[in-house]
Amino acid sequence: MSTKLKCELCTGPGGELLWEDGICRVVRVTGPEGTAFPGYCRIVCREHVADMSSLTTSDAHHVLDVVLATERALRLTVQPDKINLASLGNVVPHLHWHVIPRWKDDSHFPAPIWATAQRTGVARAVPANSDLLCALQAELSTLNETP
Amino acid sequence: MSTKLKCELCTGPGGELLWEDGICRVVRVTGPEGTAFPGYCRIVCREHVADMSSLTTSDAHHVLDVVLATERALRLTVQPDKINLASLGNVVPHLHWHVIPRWKDDSHFPAPIWATAQRTGVARAVPANSDLLCALQAELSTLNETP
């Protein structure tokens, strides 16, 4: 079986699909992580490459623009204290970014979400996909206007 | 005392300085993390801002270009199995990127380096700053030539 046929990000969306274009897609993280960090999204590259530096500069800039549009949309929608960005891919070597809203009273703050939990996090409402998508589209629409 | 005067990335380099320009600098991480993940670098924004999305699009692209030039330089210099990128800033809210070379037999693989260690990692030689800088400068010199 080829690498692509075995790759869960080639064969499935990797979350609830919010938006996509020819280079990448934005998905909502579901399950316990999506509940603990409401609004947690991933940006998944369409092409099966492991690293950002495998992309052309133009495509890498585009993926970053989508990551940062998602960061801005999350800031408006769920008003976190901080947003964490990470591209790891040790388990699934298909380029994807984690965009994780964080609160000072969440289960792990100030440690990364992959560290040991420090407390039972304060429960928060999970935003509707339609609200997130609305904010995301507004941010993406400004991409070509920003200096 | 102002936020900037209290910020360790405003008052110090945050590691061994390898390279800098008007927007950001590349530093080597020293101490146990630098030994466990030889070549581990941070890219630190010169301006005291918390997030990438606080930068102009042009400056954010430039910071990403430096992050990816560092990723490529590390791949050439220390030949890791994977490179992890992260911008967290929960403890020090001054924009900085972690560029972390990873090996399948390091202390934490495939988990992020912030998770619980899984084993005693295989010890590796730490590259000389001069070798890393040479590779980094070669990568940075191609930035304007890449499509």
Side-chain angles (χ1 to χ4, degrees), chain A residues 87-107:
Chain A
S87 174
L88 307 173
N90 303 330
V91 178
V92 181
H94 177 133
L95 177 59
H96 60 284
W97 282 89
H98 302 266
V99 184
I100 314 163
R102 303 296 310 275
W103 289 266
K104 289 177 181 171
D105 55 9
D106 73 31
S107 51

Side-chain angles (χ1 to χ4, degrees), chain B residues 10-71:
Chain B
C10 285
T11 55
E16 291 177 355
L17 182 65
L18 287 181
W19 178 92
E20 67 183 328
D21 67 6
I23 297 172
C24 60
R25 60 184 179 268
V26 182
V27 301
R28 278 285 296 276
V29 173
T30 56
E33 288 181 322
T35 305
F37 307 99
Y40 185 169
C41 287
R42 289 194 189 107
I43 286 71
V44 182
C45 187
R46 182 182 287 263
E47 194 181 351
H48 183 84
V49 296
D51 303 290
M52 278 289 272
S53 60
S54 301
L55 299 179
T56 64
T57 299
S58 167
D59 283 358
H61 287 175
H62 179 76
V63 170
L64 179 72
D65 290 342
V66 175
V67 167
L68 298 186
T70 305
E71 177 176 316

Side-chain angles (χ1 to χ4, degrees), chain A residues 50-53 57-58 61 65 68 71-72 75 82 84-90 97 102 110 112 114-115 146-147, chain B residues 50-53 57-58 61 65 68 71-72 75 82 84-90 97 102 110 112 114-115 146-147:
Chain A
D51 302 291
M52 279 289 271
S53 61
T57 299
S58 167
H61 286 175
D65 289 342
L68 299 185
E71 177 176 319
R72 291 189 183 99
R75 194 169 292 136
K82 187 74 184 72
N84 293 167
L85 305 179
S87 174
L88 307 173
N90 303 330
W97 282 89
R102 303 296 310 275
W114 303 281
T146 316
Chain B
D51 303 290
M52 278 289 272
S53 60
T57 299
S58 167
H61 287 175
D65 290 342
L68 298 186
E71 177 176 316
R72 291 190 183 97
R75 194 169 291 137
K82 188 75 184 74
N84 294 167
L85 306 178
S87 174
L88 307 174
N90 303 330
W97 282 89
R102 303 296 309 275
W114 303 282
T146 315

Side-chain angles (χ1 to χ4, degrees), chain B residues 32-33 35-38 101-110 113 116-125:
Chain B
E33 288 181 322
T35 305
F37 307 99
R102 303 296 309 275
W103 289 266
K104 289 177 182 170
D105 54 10
D106 74 31
S107 52
H108 290 65
F109 200 92
I113 69 165
T116 304
Q118 305 200 2
R119 67 189 74 84
T120 302
V122 170
R124 286 190 163 76

